[in-house]
Amino acid sequence: RDLIAQIPHLTGSGERVTDEEISFDPFEFERRQAARLEIADGVGCGGDEIIRVVVTRATMDKLAPRIRPGEDVRPEAVYEDLPILEVDPLEAFEVSERDVLITVADGVKLPSITAFRLLAQKLKDKGCPNPILLKDCLNFEGTPLSPDEALLRASVAVGSLLCDGIGDAVLIRGESGAGQSLRLAFNILQAAGCRSFKTDYVACPSCGRTLFDLQEVTARIKARTEHLKGVKIAIMGCIVNGPGEMADADFGYVGGAPGKINLYVGKTPVRFNIPEAEAVESLVDLIREHDKWVEPQPAEA
Ligand code: SF4
């Protein structure tokens, strides 16, 4: 319900959902080809680079004292320092340089998704391969959004565009907390499959077939594995439907029988009927066996 409540804000009130057949295959993905350029010291954007996280100067000033060496979740460039061209895609515009990012100017009277799709199409028509900086919002309301609203709107707007293959860097401003907006940017990139900075979990919703306490077991697995970057773990309540729903998980923890767990590597079952009390450690052992395990860093004093 909360998600649906954001739709008028994201699409423009009164928009009617068309029932016409769509002209493209929504299951095909191709990233928009963009030229590579450097947006900060040693930080490339576009080309084959990962999608970058940009913050405003004000956010950077708040975050800088808190960034620890080696931390993955950190800003990669400051908006005010970028080589950037802001345009209104509703108007005619020229791109005279190849070495600039392009974004939609604040205040454009379009929802973000529409504005950036239009921008991408116009750049394509002009043959401009400049990378695109995505923004979660172009217009700001008088009162700050609640964290839930900011999260939902940014996820829908930026996530949709990333799934379209549009975007080489992201800037999140709907969430006013500095640390929260940075974390949200990385979470959206991870959820869209663009970057991986933490463990990914896929869990079934549970039903009458579930053979263990899904929430309690998920919490225990997370506590043991959430420091593993780039590992995807599926936690499924039963072997009837679980293995088919594990998507592209690297490892699976699946209820095999009451009190017994089967473990998977990809879609292949490799360990069977492990007593539930031993299954989480057996999963850790399996991850280690496949060279995906690292010891967690001790917490700072
Ligand atoms: S995977 Fe099994 S337990 Fe989980 S929701 Fe599907 S049928 Fe139910």
Side-chain angles (χ1 to χ4, degrees):
R1 191 154 43 80
D2 290 347
L3 178 60
I4 290 168
Q6 305 309 314
I7 289 175
H9 301 281
L10 292 159
T11 60
S13 303
E15 289 285 322
R16 194 179 64 82
V17 178
T18 176
D19 51 9
E20 283 170 27
E21 218 170 278
I22 51 175
S23 60
F24 59 94
D25 180 352
F27 298 104
E28 279 291 314
F29 175 81
E30 191 180 341
R31 185 176 171 186
R32 171 182 173 266
Q33 295 295 308
R36 183 189 183 281
L37 66 93
E38 194 142 313
I39 57 169
D41 277 353
V43 179
C45 180
D48 293 330
E49 295 284 349
I50 51 179
I51 295 172
R52 297 300 184 177
V53 174
V54 172
V55 298
T56 61
R57 166 75 55 213
T59 299
M60 184 58 142
D61 289 344
K62 287 183 196 155
L63 291 173
R66 296 190 241 153
I67 299 171
R68 288 174 299 181
E71 199 158 29
D72 290 316
V73 180
R74 55 165 57 216
E76 294 171 307
V78 172
Y79 185 61
E80 287 83 349
D81 296 342
L82 291 176
I84 195 156
L85 177 66
E86 300 177 329
V87 301
D88 179 348
L90 288 170
E91 306 287 339
F93 64 87
E94 290 303 322
V95 182
S96 52
E97 288 177 67
R98 194 182 159 111
D99 287 346
V100 291
L101 272 164
I102 313 267
T103 194
V104 175
D106 288 347
V108 167
K109 297 290 177 221
L110 283 176
S112 283
I113 298 174
T114 316
F116 280 97
R117 284 180 178 162
L118 183 57
L119 173 65
Q121 185 59 49
K122 287 204 165 179
L123 291 175
K124 186 178 179 191
D125 294 345
K126 290 171 181 291
C128 294
N130 301 62
I132 292 177
L133 170 74
L134 301 179
K135 296 173 175 175
D136 60 328
C137 49
L138 302 169
N139 296 283
F140 296 88
E141 295 173 16
T143 47
L145 298 176
S146 72
D148 281 354
E149 286 172 323
L151 179 151
L152 291 169
R153 291 192 196 181
S155 304
V156 171
V158 176
S160 300
L161 293 160
L162 292 171
C163 292
D164 285 348
I166 299 170
D168 302 285
V170 300
L171 173 67
I172 303 295
R173 295 175 298 172
E175 164 59 64
S176 52
Q180 292 89 329
S181 68
L182 180 68
R183 191 96 194 156
L184 178 54
F186 276 92
N187 279 333
I188 292 171
L189 291 178
Q190 172 127 3
C194 301
R195 287 181 71 159
S196 182
F197 72 101
K198 61 179 183 178
T199 325
D200 235 348
Y201 299 96
V202 185
C204 79
S206 84
C207 72
R209 292 187 196 270
T210 309
L211 291 164
F212 54 84
D213 183 333
L214 204 89
Q215 283 187 320
E216 191 262 333
V217 169
T218 302
R220 279 201 287 125
I221 292 175
K222 273 190 171 177
R224 281 296 272 133
T225 61
E226 66 186 350
H227 63 289
L228 299 175
K229 267 183 282 176
V231 175
K232 193 165 187 175
I233 299 172
I235 304 153
M236 297 289 156
C238 76
I239 50 170
V240 181
N241 294 322
E245 303 292 330
M246 292 198 299
D248 54 349
D250 301 302
F251 301 95
Y253 180 109
V254 181
K260 297 288 167 62
I261 304 299
N262 294 352
L263 298 180
Y264 287 64
V265 175
K267 291 201 180 300
T268 309
V270 292
R271 296 188 183 186
F272 300 90
N273 293 325
I274 301 160
E276 198 184 324
E278 299 163 21
V280 174
E281 283 314 307
S282 185
L283 173 66
V284 169
D285 185 47
L286 190 62
I287 296 171
R288 196 176 271 125
E289 202 174 87
H290 285 77
D291 292 332
K292 299 263 187 163
W293 180 260
V294 290
E295 293 303 328
Q297 295 292 316
E300 286 195 355

